[in-house]
Amino acid sequence: MSGELSPIDKAKFVAAKRAVDFVEDGMRVGLGTGSTAAWMVRCLGELVREDGLRIKGVPTSSRTAELARDCGITVVSLDEARWLDLTIDGADEFDQDLNLIKGGGGALLQEKIVATASDQMIVIADVGKEVEHLGHFPLPLEVIPFGWQTTQALAEEMLISMDVLGRQSSLRMNGAAPYVTDEGNYILDLHLNRIGNARQLAMVLNQIPGVVENGLFIDICDKVVVGFGDGRVEVRDINDGSIEEGRLDFLEDDNLFRDLGE
Protein backbone atom coordinates (compact mmCIF):
# COMPACT_ATOMS: atom_id res chain seq x y z
CA MET A 1 0.00 0.00 0.00
CA SER A 2 2.73 2.48 0.94
CA GLY A 3 4.09 2.63 -2.58
CA GLU A 4 0.73 3.86 -3.83
CA LEU A 5 0.14 6.57 -1.23
CA SER A 6 1.15 10.19 -1.59
CA PRO A 7 2.90 11.82 1.39
CA ILE A 8 -0.36 13.56 2.34
CA ASP A 9 -2.27 10.28 2.23
CA LYS A 10 0.43 8.63 4.34
CA ALA A 11 0.12 11.46 6.86
CA LYS A 12 -3.66 11.02 7.00
CA PHE A 13 -3.30 7.27 7.39
CA VAL A 14 -0.83 7.35 10.29
CA ALA A 15 -2.93 9.98 12.10
CA ALA A 16 -6.05 7.84 11.72
CA LYS A 17 -4.25 4.64 12.68
CA ARG A 18 -2.82 6.19 15.83
CA ALA A 19 -6.11 7.79 16.85
CA VAL A 20 -8.04 4.50 16.96
CA ASP A 21 -5.69 3.38 19.73
CA PHE A 22 -7.80 5.58 22.01
CA VAL A 23 -10.95 3.57 21.26
CA GLU A 24 -11.77 0.92 23.87
CA ASP A 25 -14.18 -1.99 23.85
CA GLY A 26 -17.75 -0.96 24.60
CA MET A 27 -17.29 2.71 23.72
CA ARG A 28 -19.81 4.92 21.97
CA VAL A 29 -17.77 6.75 19.34
CA GLY A 30 -18.57 9.76 17.18
CA LEU A 31 -17.39 9.16 13.61
CA GLY A 32 -16.30 12.24 11.71
CA THR A 33 -16.72 13.16 8.07
CA GLY A 34 -14.09 13.83 5.41
CA SER A 35 -11.14 12.15 3.75
CA THR A 36 -9.04 11.76 6.91
CA ALA A 37 -12.01 10.56 8.97
CA ALA A 38 -12.72 7.95 6.29
CA TRP A 39 -9.31 6.39 6.96
CA MET A 40 -10.19 6.29 10.65
CA VAL A 41 -13.52 4.54 10.00
CA ARG A 42 -11.72 1.91 7.92
CA CYS A 43 -9.17 1.40 10.72
CA LEU A 44 -11.97 0.94 13.24
CA GLY A 45 -13.71 -1.49 10.92
CA GLU A 46 -10.57 -3.59 10.76
CA LEU A 47 -10.45 -3.75 14.57
CA VAL A 48 -14.12 -4.74 14.66
CA ARG A 49 -13.68 -7.53 12.11
CA GLU A 50 -10.29 -8.89 13.11
CA ASP A 51 -9.97 -8.12 16.83
CA GLY A 52 -13.59 -8.32 17.90
CA LEU A 53 -13.77 -4.70 19.04
CA ARG A 54 -17.33 -3.90 20.14
CA ILE A 55 -18.34 -0.28 19.68
CA LYS A 56 -21.34 1.76 18.67
CA GLY A 57 -20.64 4.46 16.13
CA VAL A 58 -22.55 7.72 15.77
CA PRO A 59 -21.84 9.10 12.26
CA THR A 60 -21.78 12.81 11.49
CA SER A 61 -23.10 12.47 7.93
CA SER A 62 -25.01 10.07 5.72
CA ARG A 63 -21.87 9.14 3.79
CA THR A 64 -19.97 8.32 6.99
CA ALA A 65 -22.91 6.18 8.13
CA GLU A 66 -22.80 4.24 4.86
CA LEU A 67 -19.04 3.70 5.11
CA ALA A 68 -19.26 2.61 8.75
CA ARG A 69 -21.94 0.02 7.97
CA ASP A 70 -19.87 -1.26 5.05
CA CYS A 71 -16.97 -1.69 7.47
CA GLY A 72 -19.04 -3.71 9.93
CA ILE A 73 -19.41 -1.01 12.59
CA THR A 74 -22.69 -0.92 14.50
CA VAL A 75 -24.28 2.44 13.70
CA VAL A 76 -26.71 4.17 16.07
CA SER A 77 -28.19 7.65 16.23
CA LEU A 78 -27.07 10.24 18.74
CA ASP A 79 -30.48 10.03 20.39
CA GLU A 80 -29.96 6.29 20.88
CA ALA A 81 -26.44 6.75 22.23
CA ARG A 82 -27.43 9.80 24.30
CA TRP A 83 -23.81 10.60 25.22
CA LEU A 84 -20.49 9.59 23.67
CA ASP A 85 -17.19 8.51 25.14
CA LEU A 86 -15.15 9.87 22.26
CA THR A 87 -15.44 11.58 18.89
CA ILE A 88 -12.69 11.31 16.27
CA ASP A 89 -12.89 13.73 13.36
CA GLY A 90 -10.74 15.66 10.93
CA ALA A 91 -10.25 19.41 10.57
CA ASP A 92 -9.62 21.87 7.78
CA GLU A 93 -7.39 23.97 10.03
CA PHE A 94 -6.17 23.89 13.63
CA ASP A 95 -4.07 26.33 15.64
CA GLN A 96 -1.76 25.91 18.64
CA ASP A 97 -4.73 26.16 21.02
CA LEU A 98 -6.49 23.35 19.12
CA ASN A 99 -9.22 25.65 17.87
CA LEU A 100 -10.52 24.47 14.53
CA ILE A 101 -12.16 25.34 11.27
CA LYS A 102 -14.37 22.49 10.09
CA GLY A 103 -17.06 22.08 7.47
CA GLY A 104 -15.12 21.68 4.26
CA GLY A 105 -17.00 18.43 3.80
CA GLY A 106 -20.34 20.10 4.45
CA ALA A 107 -21.15 18.31 7.73
CA LEU A 108 -20.26 20.99 10.27
CA LEU A 109 -23.65 21.05 12.03
CA GLN A 110 -23.80 17.35 12.83
CA GLU A 111 -20.06 17.33 13.54
CA LYS A 112 -20.38 20.06 16.15
CA ILE A 113 -23.43 18.49 17.80
CA VAL A 114 -21.71 15.10 18.04
CA ALA A 115 -18.40 16.56 19.24
CA THR A 116 -20.02 18.57 22.02
CA ALA A 117 -21.97 15.49 23.14
CA SER A 118 -18.71 13.62 23.82
CA ASP A 119 -16.45 13.28 26.81
CA GLN A 120 -13.48 13.87 24.51
CA MET A 121 -12.82 15.01 20.96
CA ILE A 122 -9.73 13.89 19.08
CA VAL A 123 -8.85 15.57 15.79
CA ILE A 124 -6.82 13.75 13.16
CA ALA A 125 -4.97 15.79 10.54
CA ASP A 126 -1.93 15.90 8.34
CA VAL A 127 0.67 18.46 9.38
CA GLY A 128 -0.35 20.80 6.56
CA LYS A 129 -3.57 21.63 8.44
CA GLU A 130 -1.69 23.38 11.25
CA VAL A 131 -1.75 27.19 11.02
CA GLU A 132 -0.58 30.10 13.11
CA HIS A 133 -3.91 31.91 12.69
CA LEU A 134 -7.21 30.45 11.57
CA GLY A 135 -8.86 31.83 8.46
CA HIS A 136 -6.83 30.90 5.40
CA PHE A 137 -9.33 28.09 4.79
CA PRO A 138 -12.78 29.55 4.03
CA LEU A 139 -15.03 29.50 7.10
CA PRO A 140 -18.26 27.57 6.40
CA LEU A 141 -21.53 29.07 7.58
CA GLU A 142 -24.59 26.81 7.45
CA VAL A 143 -27.73 28.82 6.68
CA ILE A 144 -31.36 28.00 5.97
CA PRO A 145 -32.34 28.32 2.28
CA PHE A 146 -35.11 30.85 2.98
CA GLY A 147 -33.69 34.35 2.52
CA TRP A 148 -30.12 33.09 2.23
CA GLN A 149 -29.04 36.16 0.27
CA THR A 150 -30.28 38.40 3.08
CA THR A 151 -28.37 36.24 5.56
CA GLN A 152 -25.29 36.58 3.37
CA ALA A 153 -25.61 40.36 3.25
CA LEU A 154 -26.02 40.54 7.04
CA ALA A 155 -22.96 38.36 7.55
CA GLU A 156 -20.79 40.47 5.24
CA GLU A 157 -21.97 43.65 6.97
CA MET A 158 -21.20 42.18 10.39
CA LEU A 159 -17.67 41.26 9.26
CA ILE A 160 -16.84 44.95 8.88
CA SER A 161 -16.55 45.24 12.67
CA MET A 162 -14.68 41.95 13.14
CA ASP A 163 -10.92 41.35 13.30
CA VAL A 164 -10.60 39.68 9.90
CA LEU A 165 -8.69 40.53 6.73
CA GLY A 166 -11.37 39.59 4.20
CA ARG A 167 -15.14 40.02 4.06
CA GLN A 168 -16.18 38.24 0.87
CA SER A 169 -18.48 35.23 0.89
CA SER A 170 -19.75 32.74 -1.65
CA LEU A 171 -22.56 30.23 -1.84
CA ARG A 172 -21.19 26.71 -1.98
CA MET A 173 -22.31 24.98 -5.16
CA ASN A 174 -22.80 21.39 -6.26
CA GLY A 175 -22.52 21.72 -10.00
CA ALA A 176 -25.14 24.19 -11.18
CA ALA A 177 -27.21 23.98 -7.97
CA PRO A 178 -26.48 25.07 -4.39
CA TYR A 179 -24.83 22.45 -2.21
CA VAL A 180 -27.40 21.07 0.25
CA THR A 181 -26.39 19.63 3.63
CA ASP A 182 -27.87 16.52 5.23
CA GLU A 183 -30.17 18.87 7.15
CA GLY A 184 -31.41 20.53 3.96
CA ASN A 185 -29.49 23.77 4.44
CA TYR A 186 -27.07 25.83 2.31
CA ILE A 187 -23.45 26.72 3.11
CA LEU A 188 -21.87 30.14 2.72
CA ASP A 189 -18.07 30.10 2.63
CA LEU A 190 -16.55 33.19 4.27
CA HIS A 191 -13.20 34.17 2.76
CA LEU A 192 -11.57 35.86 5.76
CA ASN A 193 -7.84 35.14 5.19
CA ARG A 194 -7.07 35.67 8.87
CA ILE A 195 -9.26 35.53 11.98
CA GLY A 196 -8.00 37.62 14.88
CA ASN A 197 -10.58 36.69 17.52
CA ALA A 198 -12.17 33.34 16.67
CA ARG A 199 -14.22 33.08 19.86
CA GLN A 200 -15.86 36.46 19.34
CA LEU A 201 -16.51 35.76 15.66
CA ALA A 202 -18.16 32.42 16.41
CA MET A 203 -20.55 34.00 18.91
CA VAL A 204 -21.49 36.94 16.68
CA LEU A 205 -22.07 34.82 13.56
CA ASN A 206 -24.58 32.64 15.37
CA GLN A 207 -26.66 35.69 16.28
CA ILE A 208 -27.48 36.44 12.63
CA PRO A 209 -31.03 35.40 11.68
CA GLY A 210 -30.89 32.53 9.20
CA VAL A 211 -27.55 31.20 10.45
CA VAL A 212 -27.80 27.66 11.78
CA GLU A 213 -24.16 27.13 12.81
CA ASN A 214 -20.62 28.16 11.94
CA GLY A 215 -17.52 26.07 11.34
CA LEU A 216 -15.43 27.45 14.22
CA PHE A 217 -14.86 24.77 16.87
CA ILE A 218 -13.63 26.64 19.95
CA ASP A 219 -12.60 24.83 23.16
CA ILE A 220 -14.04 21.55 21.87
CA CYS A 221 -10.95 19.60 20.78
CA ASP A 222 -8.93 17.83 23.51
CA LYS A 223 -6.22 16.15 21.44
CA VAL A 224 -4.91 16.43 17.91
CA VAL A 225 -3.10 13.55 16.24
CA VAL A 226 -0.82 14.99 13.59
CA GLY A 227 0.46 12.77 10.81
CA PHE A 228 3.58 13.32 8.69
CA GLY A 229 4.36 11.98 5.23
CA ASP A 230 7.31 9.93 6.48
CA GLY A 231 5.22 7.96 8.98
CA ARG A 232 5.89 10.12 12.03
CA VAL A 233 2.95 10.97 14.24
CA GLU A 234 2.45 13.38 17.13
CA VAL A 235 -0.27 13.36 19.77
CA ARG A 236 -0.77 16.82 21.29
CA ASP A 237 -2.94 17.14 24.39
CA ILE A 238 -4.30 20.62 25.09
CA ASN A 239 -5.28 19.71 28.67
CA ASP A 240 -1.86 18.73 30.00
CA GLY A 241 0.30 20.32 27.31
CA SER A 242 2.03 17.04 26.45
CA ILE A 243 3.37 16.04 23.04
CA GLU A 244 3.90 12.35 22.35
CA GLU A 245 5.97 11.44 19.30
CA GLY A 246 6.08 8.14 17.45
CA ARG A 247 6.28 6.49 14.07
CA LEU A 248 4.13 3.96 12.25
CA ASP A 249 5.67 1.59 9.74
CA PHE A 250 3.88 0.73 6.51
CA LEU A 251 3.39 -2.80 5.27
CA GLU A 252 3.66 -3.25 1.53
CA ASP A 253 0.84 -5.81 1.56
CA ASP A 254 -1.46 -3.70 3.69
CA ASN A 255 -4.51 -3.23 1.46
CA LEU A 256 -6.88 -1.89 4.10
CA PHE A 257 -7.84 1.11 1.96
CA ARG A 258 -7.54 -0.35 -1.50
CA ASP A 259 -11.16 0.49 -2.33
CA LEU A 260 -11.50 3.70 -0.35
CA GLY A 261 -12.93 6.49 -2.46
CA GLU A 262 -11.66 9.90 -1.38
Side-chain angles (χ1 to χ4, degrees), residues 158-179:
M158 178 276 299
L159 289 172
I160 296 174
S161 62
M162 293 291 102
D163 185 9
V164 296
L165 292 183
R167 297 193 297 271
Q168 300 300 312
S169 66
S170 58
L171 179 67
R172 187 176 300 184
M173 303 297 290
N174 182 16
Y179 175 89

PDB file of all heavy atoms in Angstrom, residues 158-179:
ATOM      1  N   MET A 158     -21.723  42.412   9.043  1.00  0.00           N
ATOM      2  CA  MET A 158     -21.204  42.177  10.389  1.00  0.00           C
ATOM      3  C   MET A 158     -19.682  42.047  10.390  1.00  0.00           C
ATOM      4  O   MET A 158     -19.000  42.484  11.320  1.00  0.00           O
ATOM      5  CB  MET A 158     -21.847  40.906  10.960  1.00  0.00           C
ATOM      6  CG  MET A 158     -21.366  40.502  12.357  1.00  0.00           C
ATOM      7  SD  MET A 158     -19.838  39.531  12.318  1.00  0.00           S
ATOM      8  CE  MET A 158     -20.362  38.114  11.385  1.00  0.00           C
ATOM      9  N   LEU A 159     -19.119  41.484   9.328  1.00  0.00           N
ATOM     10  CA  LEU A 159     -17.671  41.256   9.263  1.00  0.00           C
ATOM     11  C   LEU A 159     -16.884  42.559   9.250  1.00  0.00           C
ATOM     12  O   LEU A 159     -15.691  42.565   9.578  1.00  0.00           O
ATOM     13  CB  LEU A 159     -17.329  40.422   8.031  1.00  0.00           C
ATOM     14  CG  LEU A 159     -17.761  38.947   8.077  1.00  0.00           C
ATOM     15  CD1 LEU A 159     -17.528  38.291   6.725  1.00  0.00           C
ATOM     16  CD2 LEU A 159     -17.010  38.200   9.173  1.00  0.00           C
ATOM     17  N   ILE A 160     -17.530  43.662   8.904  1.00  0.00           N
ATOM     18  CA  ILE A 160     -16.838  44.952   8.885  1.00  0.00           C
ATOM     19  C   ILE A 160     -16.274  45.289  10.261  1.00  0.00           C
ATOM     20  O   ILE A 160     -15.190  45.880  10.388  1.00  0.00           O
ATOM     21  CB  ILE A 160     -17.795  46.070   8.405  1.00  0.00           C
ATOM     22  CG1 ILE A 160     -18.211  45.813   6.960  1.00  0.00           C
ATOM     23  CG2 ILE A 160     -17.152  47.443   8.545  1.00  0.00           C
ATOM     24  CD1 ILE A 160     -19.258  46.780   6.443  1.00  0.00           C
ATOM     25  N   SER A 161     -16.978  44.912  11.299  1.00  0.00           N
ATOM     26  CA  SER A 161     -16.554  45.239  12.669  1.00  0.00           C
ATOM     27  C   SER A 161     -15.719  44.140  13.315  1.00  0.00           C
ATOM     28  O   SER A 161     -15.322  44.268  14.480  1.00  0.00           O
ATOM     29  CB  SER A 161     -17.779  45.521  13.540  1.00  0.00           C
ATOM     30  OG  SER A 161     -18.614  44.382  13.620  1.00  0.00           O
ATOM     31  N   MET A 162     -15.440  43.059  12.592  1.00  0.00           N
ATOM     32  CA  MET A 162     -14.678  41.948  13.140  1.00  0.00           C
ATOM     33  C   MET A 162     -13.200  42.052  12.772  1.00  0.00           C
ATOM     34  O   MET A 162     -12.832  42.709  11.803  1.00  0.00           O
ATOM     35  CB  MET A 162     -15.248  40.619  12.623  1.00  0.00           C
ATOM     36  CG  MET A 162     -16.652  40.272  13.107  1.00  0.00           C
ATOM     37  SD  MET A 162     -16.748  39.873  14.873  1.00  0.00           S
ATOM     38  CE  MET A 162     -17.418  41.427  15.514  1.00  0.00           C
ATOM     39  N   ASP A 163     -12.364  41.370  13.531  1.00  0.00           N
ATOM     40  CA  ASP A 163     -10.924  41.351  13.304  1.00  0.00           C
ATOM     41  C   ASP A 163     -10.581  40.277  12.272  1.00  0.00           C
ATOM     42  O   ASP A 163     -10.084  39.191  12.593  1.00  0.00           O
ATOM     43  CB  ASP A 163     -10.191  41.086  14.622  1.00  0.00           C
ATOM     44  CG  ASP A 163      -8.676  41.173  14.475  1.00  0.00           C
ATOM     45  OD1 ASP A 163      -8.196  41.609  13.401  1.00  0.00           O
ATOM     46  OD2 ASP A 163      -7.971  40.801  15.440  1.00  0.00           O
ATOM     47  N   VAL A 164     -10.886  40.581  11.018  1.00  0.00           N
ATOM     48  CA  VAL A 164     -10.597  39.677   9.903  1.00  0.00           C
ATOM     49  C   VAL A 164     -10.011  40.504   8.765  1.00  0.00           C
ATOM     50  O   VAL A 164     -10.205  41.721   8.694  1.00  0.00           O
ATOM     51  CB  VAL A 164     -11.865  38.932   9.426  1.00  0.00           C
ATOM     52  CG1 VAL A 164     -12.395  38.020  10.527  1.00  0.00           C
ATOM     53  CG2 VAL A 164     -12.947  39.904   8.981  1.00  0.00           C
ATOM     54  N   LEU A 165      -9.328  39.824   7.842  1.00  0.00           N
ATOM     55  CA  LEU A 165      -8.691  40.531   6.734  1.00  0.00           C
ATOM     56  C   LEU A 165      -9.564  40.575   5.488  1.00  0.00           C
ATOM     57  O   LEU A 165      -9.377  41.439   4.633  1.00  0.00           O
ATOM     58  CB  LEU A 165      -7.345  39.878   6.398  1.00  0.00           C
ATOM     59  CG  LEU A 165      -6.236  40.022   7.444  1.00  0.00           C
ATOM     60  CD1 LEU A 165      -4.952  39.387   6.930  1.00  0.00           C
ATOM     61  CD2 LEU A 165      -6.001  41.488   7.789  1.00  0.00           C
ATOM     62  N   GLY A 166     -10.499  39.633   5.368  1.00  0.00           N
ATOM     63  CA  GLY A 166     -11.370  39.594   4.196  1.00  0.00           C
ATOM     64  C   GLY A 166     -12.827  39.563   4.615  1.00  0.00           C
ATOM     65  O   GLY A 166     -13.159  39.123   5.713  1.00  0.00           O
ATOM     66  N   ARG A 167     -13.716  39.997   3.722  1.00  0.00           N
ATOM     67  CA  ARG A 167     -15.137  40.022   4.059  1.00  0.00           C
ATOM     68  C   ARG A 167     -16.011  39.474   2.924  1.00  0.00           C
ATOM     69  O   ARG A 167     -17.222  39.661   2.934  1.00  0.00           O
ATOM     70  CB  ARG A 167     -15.581  41.458   4.391  1.00  0.00           C
ATOM     71  CG  ARG A 167     -14.898  42.037   5.617  1.00  0.00           C
ATOM     72  CD  ARG A 167     -15.600  43.301   6.083  1.00  0.00           C
ATOM     73  NE  ARG A 167     -15.557  44.359   5.090  1.00  0.00           N
ATOM     74  CZ  ARG A 167     -14.571  45.265   4.994  1.00  0.00           C
ATOM     75  NH1 ARG A 167     -13.552  45.221   5.845  1.00  0.00           N
ATOM     76  NH2 ARG A 167     -14.617  46.209   4.058  1.00  0.00           N
ATOM     77  N   GLN A 168     -15.406  38.797   1.964  1.00  0.00           N
ATOM     78  CA  GLN A 168     -16.177  38.243   0.869  1.00  0.00           C
ATOM     79  C   GLN A 168     -16.752  36.878   1.262  1.00  0.00           C
ATOM     80  O   GLN A 168     -16.192  36.168   2.100  1.00  0.00           O
ATOM     81  CB  GLN A 168     -15.306  38.097  -0.381  1.00  0.00           C
ATOM     82  CG  GLN A 168     -14.725  39.408  -0.880  1.00  0.00           C
ATOM     83  CD  GLN A 168     -15.797  40.411  -1.255  1.00  0.00           C
ATOM     84  OE1 GLN A 168     -16.746  40.080  -1.977  1.00  0.00           O
ATOM     85  NE2 GLN A 168     -15.675  41.637  -0.763  1.00  0.00           N
ATOM     86  N   SER A 169     -17.878  36.531   0.646  1.00  0.00           N
ATOM     87  CA  SER A 169     -18.481  35.227   0.889  1.00  0.00           C
ATOM     88  C   SER A 169     -19.036  34.684  -0.414  1.00  0.00           C
ATOM     89  O   SER A 169     -19.299  35.429  -1.358  1.00  0.00           O
ATOM     90  CB  SER A 169     -19.590  35.332   1.940  1.00  0.00           C
ATOM     91  OG  SER A 169     -20.675  36.107   1.462  1.00  0.00           O
ATOM     92  N   SER A 170     -19.212  33.384  -0.459  1.00  0.00           N
ATOM     93  CA  SER A 170     -19.753  32.743  -1.655  1.00  0.00           C
ATOM     94  C   SER A 170     -20.645  31.589  -1.247  1.00  0.00           C
ATOM     95  O   SER A 170     -20.422  30.936  -0.223  1.00  0.00           O
ATOM     96  CB  SER A 170     -18.622  32.249  -2.563  1.00  0.00           C
ATOM     97  OG  SER A 170     -17.775  31.334  -1.883  1.00  0.00           O
ATOM     98  N   LEU A 171     -21.670  31.357  -2.056  1.00  0.00           N
ATOM     99  CA  LEU A 171     -22.565  30.228  -1.836  1.00  0.00           C
ATOM    100  C   LEU A 171     -21.890  28.970  -2.364  1.00  0.00           C
ATOM    101  O   LEU A 171     -21.457  28.926  -3.520  1.00  0.00           O
ATOM    102  CB  LEU A 171     -23.892  30.451  -2.555  1.00  0.00           C
ATOM    103  CG  LEU A 171     -24.931  29.335  -2.441  1.00  0.00           C
ATOM    104  CD1 LEU A 171     -25.441  29.217  -1.013  1.00  0.00           C
ATOM    105  CD2 LEU A 171     -26.088  29.588  -3.410  1.00  0.00           C
ATOM    106  N   ARG A 172     -21.798  27.947  -1.525  1.00  0.00           N
ATOM    107  CA  ARG A 172     -21.187  26.706  -1.980  1.00  0.00           C
ATOM    108  C   ARG A 172     -22.112  26.016  -2.986  1.00  0.00           C
ATOM    109  O   ARG A 172     -23.319  25.906  -2.764  1.00  0.00           O
ATOM    110  CB  ARG A 172     -20.892  25.770  -0.806  1.00  0.00           C
ATOM    111  CG  ARG A 172     -20.088  24.527  -1.208  1.00  0.00           C
ATOM    112  CD  ARG A 172     -19.722  23.665  -0.022  1.00  0.00           C
ATOM    113  NE  ARG A 172     -18.899  24.388   0.956  1.00  0.00           N
ATOM    114  CZ  ARG A 172     -18.393  23.827   2.047  1.00  0.00           C
ATOM    115  NH1 ARG A 172     -18.651  22.553   2.302  1.00  0.00           N
ATOM    116  NH2 ARG A 172     -17.661  24.536   2.882  1.00  0.00           N
ATOM    117  N   MET A 173     -21.524  25.566  -4.078  1.00  0.00           N
ATOM    118  CA  MET A 173     -22.307  24.979  -5.159  1.00  0.00           C
ATOM    119  C   MET A 173     -21.998  23.489  -5.311  1.00  0.00           C
ATOM    120  O   MET A 173     -20.920  23.014  -4.961  1.00  0.00           O
ATOM    121  CB  MET A 173     -22.024  25.706  -6.474  1.00  0.00           C
ATOM    122  CG  MET A 173     -22.292  27.207  -6.436  1.00  0.00           C
ATOM    123  SD  MET A 173     -24.029  27.600  -6.142  1.00  0.00           S
ATOM    124  CE  MET A 173     -24.750  27.056  -7.709  1.00  0.00           C
ATOM    125  N   ASN A 174     -22.956  22.787  -5.867  1.00  0.00           N
ATOM    126  CA  ASN A 174     -22.797  21.389  -6.261  1.00  0.00           C
ATOM    127  C   ASN A 174     -23.186  21.320  -7.729  1.00  0.00           C
ATOM    128  O   ASN A 174     -24.341  21.098  -8.073  1.00  0.00           O
ATOM    129  CB  ASN A 174     -23.673  20.488  -5.402  1.00  0.00           C
ATOM    130  CG  ASN A 174     -23.503  19.021  -5.749  1.00  0.00           C
ATOM    131  OD1 ASN A 174     -22.546  18.631  -6.405  1.00  0.00           O
ATOM    132  ND2 ASN A 174     -24.454  18.200  -5.323  1.00  0.00           N
ATOM    133  N   GLY A 175     -22.219  21.570  -8.583  1.00  0.00           N
ATOM    134  CA  GLY A 175     -22.518  21.715  -9.997  1.00  0.00           C
ATOM    135  C   GLY A 175     -23.235  23.031 -10.239  1.00  0.00           C
ATOM    136  O   GLY A 175     -22.764  24.093  -9.823  1.00  0.00           O
ATOM    137  N   ALA A 176     -24.397  22.974 -10.865  1.00  0.00           N
ATOM    138  CA  ALA A 176     -25.139  24.193 -11.179  1.00  0.00           C
ATOM    139  C   ALA A 176     -26.124  24.582 -10.073  1.00  0.00           C
ATOM    140  O   ALA A 176     -26.753  25.638 -10.155  1.00  0.00           O
ATOM    141  CB  ALA A 176     -25.901  24.013 -12.490  1.00  0.00           C
ATOM    142  N   ALA A 177     -26.245  23.738  -9.052  1.00  0.00           N
ATOM    143  CA  ALA A 177     -27.205  23.984  -7.975  1.00  0.00           C
ATOM    144  C   ALA A 177     -26.476  24.212  -6.659  1.00  0.00           C
ATOM    145  O   ALA A 177     -25.327  23.786  -6.485  1.00  0.00           O
ATOM    146  CB  ALA A 177     -28.164  22.799  -7.845  1.00  0.00           C
ATOM    147  N   PRO A 178     -27.114  24.890  -5.705  1.00  0.00           N
ATOM    148  CA  PRO A 178     -26.481  25.065  -4.390  1.00  0.00           C
ATOM    149  C   PRO A 178     -26.222  23.718  -3.721  1.00  0.00           C
ATOM    150  O   PRO A 178     -27.021  22.779  -3.845  1.00  0.00           O
ATOM    151  CB  PRO A 178     -27.520  25.871  -3.605  1.00  0.00           C
ATOM    152  CG  PRO A 178     -28.343  26.558  -4.637  1.00  0.00           C
ATOM    153  CD  PRO A 178     -28.400  25.614  -5.798  1.00  0.00           C
ATOM    154  N   TYR A 179     -25.105  23.622  -3.013  1.00  0.00           N
ATOM    155  CA  TYR A 179     -24.829  22.445  -2.205  1.00  0.00           C
ATOM    156  C   TYR A 179     -25.845  22.399  -1.063  1.00  0.00           C
ATOM    157  O   TYR A 179     -26.120  23.415  -0.422  1.00  0.00           O
ATOM    158  CB  TYR A 179     -23.406  22.517  -1.638  1.00  0.00           C
ATOM    159  CG  TYR A 179     -23.068  21.391  -0.696  1.00  0.00           C
ATOM    160  CD1 TYR A 179     -22.529  20.195  -1.175  1.00  0.00           C
ATOM    161  CD2 TYR A 179     -23.293  21.504   0.675  1.00  0.00           C
ATOM    162  CE1 TYR A 179     -22.222  19.156  -0.317  1.00  0.00           C
ATOM    163  CE2 TYR A 179     -22.986  20.474   1.535  1.00  0.00           C
ATOM    164  CZ  TYR A 179     -22.453  19.299   1.040  1.00  0.00           C
ATOM    165  OH  TYR A 179     -22.159  18.272   1.897  1.00  0.00           O
TER     166      TYR A 179
END
